[in-house]
Amino acid sequence: MITDALWSDFDNDGKIDLVITGEWMPVTFFKNTGTGFKNINSSTAIGNHVGWWNSLTAGDFDDDGDIDYVAGNLGSNSPFKATQDEPMFVYAKDLDKNGKPDPMVFCYIKAEDGSRKPFPMHTRDDLISAVNEIRKKYPTYKSFGKASLTELWSPTEQERAITFKATDMQSSYIENKGNGQFEIKPLPLETQVAPIYGMISQDIDNDGFLDLILVGNDYGMEPGSGRHDAFMGLCLKGSGAGTFTPMSFNTSGFFVNGDAKGLANIRTADGKNMLVSTQNQDSIKTFINDRNTSSHWFTVKKEDAYAEIEYSSNKTKKIEFYYGSTFLSQSSRGFEVGDGVKKITISDFRGNKREVDLK
């Protein structure tokens, strides 16, 4: 179940690589070898962080000249819990021989004896509608409530079953350490209250550091779980060192409290940045960044891939240009820089370079 994809040169070799997210999988990196793509997850150091990942955004969040990533996940405010020590499982097999697979999700919960075991995340009634044998095997809700994974799925039934596990449900910052190595860190607690979908990396306060703008929620969960609707949209102030601080709604002016999915930055005709957020079965919300700034906007060509920016302070920054960025969204293709820029070099998808006239 692939949910997002980003063409991005994560190893700074000039070839555009591929990063994807999905459910029951890690954030997955495919290196562009020049003749094809190679899955390098076994060597990224974060391949064991399997989640229900929804979306991606990218940027040089720690100002070291390479591209880092932020990945939206389910969050922690949910009955669906998963850690490295207590993963979440799904088992699927045609248990009642009716030609259809019967999937069941299990999470670790404290048992009667005080130990922690994987128990089903579905109600007895839901499972009976799929596998009628459960009605006979567990005639009461109490007997069903005591049944863990090993009681519901015997060793014989587990054989040849389709099985996946998840180990990390937190929306996270993924720092690029170079040479195809990454470090993953959870975003602040305020971002973990619901699933994150739309994300944009942008310097919203004109301090020279990339910030994050996020929307989310999911109204489509099963009734037993309930809506995941605690998120109201959020701006995270970036530090330039890969850390983020939540901004209050009064400070940011950004508030999206519905079933939000898409988020895009549109450059208006009068030179302003307009954020557009979609909400399922609700209105589209728009926000204009009315900051006073002397920044300059550059529109890029359709074949341009990224820009390398050199500042008078000898700091360098890399900005990539995407076709599709974050969940089901596309922002205006261009970039904005403030004062103090010494040189801008743009590279296209074929490796051709050109210098931007700053006059």
Side-chain angles (χ1 to χ4, degrees):
M1 176 64 179
I2 304 302
T3 54
D4 204 358
L6 198 62
W7 294 105
S8 175
D9 181 13
F10 57 74
D11 54 5
N12 262 355
D13 66 352
K15 303 185 191 70
I16 308 303
D17 309 300
L18 180 62
V19 188
I20 64 173
T21 60
E23 297 181 359
W24 301 103
M25 61 179 286
V27 177
T28 301
F29 295 84
F30 291 90
K31 177 180 171 58
N32 185 344
T33 64
T35 58
F37 291 90
K38 179 183 178 182
N39 186 328
I40 66 163
N41 262 29
S42 60
S43 60
T44 60
I46 64 169
N48 60 337
H49 288 262
V50 178
W52 289 359
W53 303 103
N54 300 314
S55 55
L56 281 167
T57 193
D60 186 4
F61 294 103
D62 53 4
D63 278 355
D64 64 352
D66 58 22
I67 299 298
D68 310 296
Y69 304 92
V70 174
N73 207 343
L74 181 72
S76 304
N77 187 25
S78 163
F80 298 96
K81 306 292 186 183
T83 66
Q84 298 292 338
D85 294 329
E86 296 185 346
M88 177 167 55
F89 295 96
V90 62
Y91 282 79
K93 188 178 181 180
D94 184 7
L95 296 174
D96 51 4
K97 311 300 181 185
N98 66 351
K100 299 178 181 178
D102 303 301
M104 297 185 196
V105 177
F106 296 86
C107 288
Y108 275 81
I109 301 173
K110 185 181 288 187
E112 266 193 326
D113 61 4
S115 64
R116 294 182 62 83
K117 299 177 182 179
F119 285 89
M121 300 303 292
H122 313 279
T123 66
R124 175 177 176 271
D125 294 338
D126 286 340
L127 289 185
I128 285 174
S129 66
V131 184
N132 195 50
E133 288 294 321
I134 289 177
R135 185 193 305 273
K136 301 175 183 177
K137 192 173 181 180
Y138 302 101
T140 66
Y141 292 101
K142 184 176 181 179
S143 62
F144 176 79
K146 295 180 180 181
S148 65
L149 169 62
T150 52
E151 282 83 38
L152 282 163
W153 286 70
S154 68
T156 301
E157 289 171 331
Q158 292 183 34
E159 291 179 0
R160 294 188 297 277
I162 299 170
T163 307
F164 294 98
K165 72 175 181 179
T167 59
D168 187 350
M169 310 308 284
Q170 298 185 93
S171 295
S172 299
Y173 167 61
I174 300 172
E175 181 182 352
N176 192 336
K177 308 297 283 188
N179 298 316
Q181 296 283 302
F182 300 89
E183 183 179 355
I184 191 166
K185 307 169 187 176
L187 290 175
L189 184 62
E190 290 85 346
T191 69
Q192 309 296 345
V193 298
I196 299 296
Y197 289 94
M199 302 189 296
I200 284 179
S201 54
Q202 184 182 101
D203 180 9
I204 61 176
D205 55 3
N206 202 35
D207 65 353
F209 303 132
L210 276 181
D211 309 304
L212 279 172
I213 310 162
L214 315 170
V215 297
N217 291 330
D218 190 346
Y219 289 10
M221 303 297 289
E222 291 182 348
S225 171
R227 285 182 173 183
H228 292 187
D229 60 358
F231 199 56
M232 305 298 171
L234 187 64
C235 293
L236 294 178
K237 179 177 172 57
S239 65
T243 58
F244 304 91
T245 304
M247 299 173 65
S248 69
F249 298 124
N250 289 338
T251 301
S252 69
F254 185 74
F255 183 82
V256 183
N257 63 333
D259 189 10
K261 293 295 184 284
L263 184 64
N265 179 63
I266 306 300
R267 188 71 174 181
T268 64
D270 58 355
K272 293 182 178 179
N273 290 318
M274 182 172 70
L275 291 172
V276 181
S277 175
T278 62
Q279 302 179 104
N280 285 339
Q281 300 184 23
D282 204 339
S283 59
I284 290 175
K285 290 197 172 185
T286 58
F287 304 85
I288 289 287
N289 191 334
D290 58 357
R291 66 189 180 185
N292 293 319
T293 174
S294 58
S295 63
H296 306 279
W297 174 267
F298 296 92
T299 300
V300 299
K301 299 178 181 179
K302 63 181 181 180
E303 66 273 13
D304 288 338
Y306 61 91
E308 296 168 298
I309 303 170
E310 298 179 29
Y311 292 87
S312 301
S313 61
N314 293 324
K315 183 179 75 172
T316 61
K317 181 174 289 190
K318 183 177 181 180
I319 301 175
E320 294 185 325
F321 316 125
Y322 304 110
Y323 284 109
S325 175
T326 198
F327 190 82
L328 299 177
S329 302
Q330 171 63 51
S331 295
S332 296
R333 273 174 53 83
F335 65 103
E336 192 173 31
V337 296
D339 295 330
V341 174
K342 182 169 64 176
K343 181 180 178 181
I344 299 176
T345 304
I346 293 180
S347 300
D348 65 19
F349 292 109
R350 298 177 179 84
N352 301 313
K353 298 180 181 292
R354 74 177 190 279
E355 192 169 330
V356 174
D357 184 1
L358 298 179
K359 294 180 181 180

